[in-house]
Amino acid sequence: MRPLSVVILSGVLAFFGAAAYAQERGGTLTAIIQPEPPILMVGVNIQGPTQTVAGKIYQSLLTYGFDLKPQPVLAKSWTVSDDGLTYTFKLQENVRWHDGKPFTADDVLFSCMTFLPETNPRARLTFSRVQEASAPDPHTVVFRLKEPFAPFLGAFEMGSAPMIPKHLYEGTDYRSNPANQTPIGTGPFKFGEWKRGQYIRLVRNDDYWKPGLPYLDQIVFRVIPDAASRRIALESGETQLSSFDNVEWFDLPALRANPALNYTDMGYEFFSPHAWMEINHRVPPFGDKRFRQALLYALDRTFIRDRLFFGQGKIATGPISSTTRFYSDDVKRYDFDLKKAEGLLDEMGLPRKTDGKRAAIKLLVMPYGETWTRLAEYAKQAWAKIGVETTLETTDAGAWAQRVANWDYQITFDYTYQYGDPALGVSRTYLSSNIKRGVLLNNTMGYVNPEVDALFNEAAVSPSDNKRAELYAKVQKLLVEDVPVLWLLEMKFLTFTNKRVHGLVSTGIGVNDSFEAVYLSK
């Protein structure tokens, strides 16, 4: 077997940690969370706010650096066989769940092979590639794949493969298990209190498996529905952290100029968030690609980027972000063109009626802040120009997730993460084998294209990067012609922190990581 590079804490980092412990231990970090997560059990809900909070409670085997290379968490080392089929993980010892029970290889097998394939759309695809999984001893896990799958080591971050306590979930209804209300993980912080509509409080895990960590006593996630109040809370120091789109995009220029705040765009490398409008193909006339194409032609995405997202992003050309492996720009373009949109609708047999309308649709607004509401209003106005009447529907984050997962929508917004490789973060959206009612962030659209399926499946297991690039170039062309979703932007988030906050963004998963080494200066 050939050993993979395993990142180990250097003497410099160890020294820094010791100094921080001596001088900066304690305190409460107060962060904004928007919207309020529907649940904290990340095994059954992988919406963005859930991952951000749960990343301090739950852990996986690995995390990833800014270069997307794997780093150890619950796995301290790993090897891959020369034929690329066998992955052996050596687990950290003396790790305990928050209820005191030991974490062992049996928990890994249960999480990866039983629990997550039922609840997590990415895990379902990844672990379906496993021929056999075994635990030779309590601190060793071996995965034997059916065929080589190069991105396999990229599938073990907390949101993709959180470790689940077998002793609490085996043989239960995962989604209704009472343990979901008081989540139990192995992370540096434990669930403390949740006052709905106000805050979520996490407390220091005094029995954390890394001695001396974490530094913070508490993390409090404040739920602040009003956009102006979120900005004021950050500027005043009432909260010390904002990430993803917790503050509105129109507030970014003022916050960047605030001398009391630091900001960075690092920590989103693993995600490469990709925003689109998701379409339920089961509802006429969305099943006709000409209708989907017309809707995309009618959107001025330059306006969307510059006026609604204040330049923070890049217009998406298709399903793969330009920051993700195997991106190709050799695809059909959908520049803003109302004449082309009208022509497609005419071709479909949807002429304007006497009132000027051709069709009526319902847009479910994503409840992630004012910017998304403004985007919905813009889309409504834009589509009215081509005779498509749009009714806006609003709901909260939990109900939105439930409706989309259960196909109870016509068109909505979404943004998903790409996870460094199309086989991990892109194909899950378009594969017909990943249509499963009740699960969010899979192929909820009901899109079926056997040629797309075949290309994605072949590209995932090809040992040659050149061959993978060729296959992904083909699938991008097919998808951009079909327009299963309306791609909008490659999003560029900023993380803002009070200048007292240190050590916050240290990996490619940024604020979704554990915060074990975060501290506040005096």
Side-chain angles (χ1 to χ4, degrees), residues 229-247:
S229 298
R230 291 197 297 273
R231 173 180 166 179
I232 292 170
L234 188 61
E235 291 178 321
S236 68
E238 181 184 345
T239 60
Q240 296 96 42
L241 168 63
S242 169
S243 59
F244 290 96
D245 48 0
N246 286 339
V247 293

Side-chain angles (χ1 to χ4, degrees), residues 199-329:
Y199 61 83
I200 300 165
R201 183 170 62 88
L202 308 183
V203 299
R204 188 180 193 275
N205 177 11
D206 291 325
D207 295 320
Y208 187 46
W209 55 274
K210 289 189 179 183
L213 296 178
Y215 298 134
L216 296 169
D217 289 335
Q218 295 187 115
I219 304 173
V220 175
F221 290 92
R222 289 275 313 280
V223 179
I224 309 174
D226 179 67
S229 298
R230 291 197 297 273
R231 173 180 166 179
I232 292 170
L234 188 61
E235 291 178 321
S236 68
E238 181 184 345
T239 60
Q240 296 96 42
L241 168 63
S242 169
S243 59
F244 290 96
D245 48 0
N246 286 339
V247 293
E248 296 294 347
W249 299 86
F250 49 77
D251 284 329
L252 296 184
L255 292 172
R256 283 196 298 258
N258 190 317
L261 300 174
N262 290 326
Y263 69 90
T264 181
D265 62 2
M266 296 181 69
Y268 300 100
E269 292 81 2
F270 191 67
F271 304 124
S272 292
H274 210 66
W276 61 53
M277 301 186 78
E278 185 163 316
I279 294 167
N280 190 342
H281 292 222
R282 307 167 188 86
V283 180
F286 291 107
D288 191 317
K289 75 175 183 181
R290 294 171 296 181
F291 189 72
R292 304 191 297 268
Q293 289 175 340
L295 295 182
L296 187 52
Y297 274 125
L299 296 176
D300 185 346
R301 291 180 291 168
T302 299
F303 172 86
I304 291 172
R305 179 196 62 196
D306 294 344
R307 299 296 296 276
L308 297 179
F309 288 86
F310 286 75
Q312 288 293 123
K314 182 178 180 180
I315 295 173
T317 59
I320 299 179
S321 289
S322 60
T323 53
T324 301
R325 298 186 75 198
F326 308 117
Y327 166 78
S328 172
D329 64 359

